[in-house]
Amino acid sequence: MNRLVLVITGLLAIFATNLPIEAQEKTDFAYSAIDPAGFTGVWMASQKDFFEQYGISQGKVVYISSSSVIGASLLSGEVTVVLAQATAPMAIRARGGDVIIFGATENLLPYYIFLSPGLKTLKDIEGKRASISRVGSGSHTSLLALFKQAGVDAQKVTFVASGDMSARLAAFATGAVDLVGLPPPYQLRLQDKGYKISVNLLDDHVPWAQVVLASRESWLESNLGAAKAVLKAVAEGNYYALAHPDEAKALWKRYLRTSDPRILDESFIYFRKAFVANLVPDLKGLANVRDFGVTAPDMAPEKFVSMKPVDELIHEGFFQKLATKYNVKAR
């Protein structure tokens, strides 16, 4: 009898040690945009079962475009981890909310800047009109960060709330505004009309926390292993996509709803240039979002983020192993 008890106890112990990190509760994800640079990691990780590979029981992966809704969904526990522009989690954090950033998949402003004929430099936009979606949006606050870095007096610029991407593009093409910033692949439409890119921010980087991973701080503190596993899966999704462009483009066909080879090729260029090899949030990018998108000047950028998960993975050599596995030269 005692031997039977010992055998059962031993089997239970073995079973317990092989349970996924989140065996009792699925980890649900939300992402905030259809963007190949910032979200390919989570899309590919879901498709290739990388979450399960690292011990995460993956739940739903949902698209929530509204920053206020995605923040509320995180706070309520409806989702466990969000991938979104840093503005939403940082705003909640600034108000004392239970949210923390613990990784990043895009640390730059992904814009091509177009200037109307007759304007030669960004400085020439002073006294002119710049198109944004709405006041206070990412398209607005990111231009404020760009203007600061370029020495443009934003007080001398009229910001025109034009609406969504297509409306902003039309506003520029019809001469209603003098500047528009477009992420890939939307710039192709203006290039097809003969317009030249004035500033390429994929090359001339402006630090910006464009896409971060965030969770409830209370969850992170109790689930450090799970947070690291999430980062591992998303990172491997990115490395895999970088090493397998045809599979990445097949994935984007579904999310971008296009088979246009120019758009898919441009998306891969964008993805490669925005690639964050170690998923470390850029503190300068967080500071820019704080200053122009959140307005919490008394909070140091370090207060918005927990670096412990990525720091431990770097110390363990995880990202270097991925770079070697996929023959990717990490910047």
Side-chain angles (χ1 to χ4, degrees), residues 31-44 83-85 105 211:
Y31 60 94
S32 65
I34 308 299
D35 179 298
F39 304 102
T40 293
V42 70
W43 296 338
M44 190 65 80
L83 289 91
Q85 192 175 110
T105 56
V211 181

Side-chain angles (χ1 to χ4, degrees), residues 86-95 99 101 209 286-287 289-290 294 304:
T87 308
M90 288 178 69
I92 295 171
R93 180 83 175 163
R95 297 193 298 268
V99 171
I101 292 167
L286 292 172
V289 173
R290 174 203 62 192
V294 177
F304 294 96

Side-chain angles (χ1 to χ4, degrees), residues 248-259 264:
K249 291 174 184 179
L251 183 74
W252 296 333
K253 284 181 183 179
R254 177 154 56 94
Y255 285 95
L256 300 179
R257 297 182 180 180
T258 182
S259 297
L264 297 174

Side-chain angles (χ1 to χ4, degrees), residues 89 108 136 139 154 159-160 179-180 189 203 225 232 252 258 283 312:
L108 52 78
S139 61
F159 291 96
V160 178
L179 177 152
V180 68
R189 298 185 194 177
D203 293 330
K232 286 180 178 181
W252 296 333
T258 182
L283 292 179
E312 289 192 6

Side-chain angles (χ1 to χ4, degrees), residues 178-302:
D178 305 289
L179 177 152
V180 68
L182 298 172
Y186 291 95
Q187 90 285 356
L188 293 175
R189 298 185 194 177
L190 286 182
Q191 288 179 297
D192 287 345
K193 294 178 182 292
Y195 291 100
K196 305 291 186 183
I197 295 171
S198 298
V199 182
N200 178 353
L201 293 181
L202 291 182
D203 293 330
D204 302 329
H205 291 178
V206 174
W208 190 259
Q210 181 69 9
V211 181
V212 299
L213 290 94
S215 69
R216 295 183 305 282
E217 185 175 24
S218 56
W219 177 85
L220 183 68
E221 290 175 347
S222 302
N223 296 275
L224 179 61
K228 289 172 64 177
V230 167
L231 291 172
K232 286 180 178 181
V234 171
E236 182 137 14
N238 276 332
Y239 275 88
Y240 186 92
L242 204 59
H244 300 85
D246 288 342
E247 286 191 51
K249 291 174 184 179
L251 183 74
W252 296 333
K253 284 181 183 179
R254 177 154 56 94
Y255 285 95
L256 300 179
R257 297 182 180 180
T258 182
S259 297
D260 187 327
R262 291 179 67 216
I263 291 177
L264 297 174
D265 289 344
E266 187 67 30
S267 295
F268 190 79
I269 293 170
Y270 173 27
F271 173 61
R272 187 180 66 239
K273 289 188 175 185
F275 177 71
V276 181
N278 55 15
L279 301 188
V280 173
D282 186 328
L283 292 179
K284 290 183 179 178
L286 292 172
N288 275 337
V289 173
R290 174 203 62 192
D291 292 343
F292 299 106
V294 177
T295 317
D298 296 330
M299 289 187 69
E302 293 85 354

Side-chain angles (χ1 to χ4, degrees), residues 1 6 11 23 37 109 154 156 164 229 289 294 309:
M1 182 66 176
L6 288 173
L11 289 172
L109 279 180
K156 296 180 180 179
D164 64 15
V289 173
V294 177

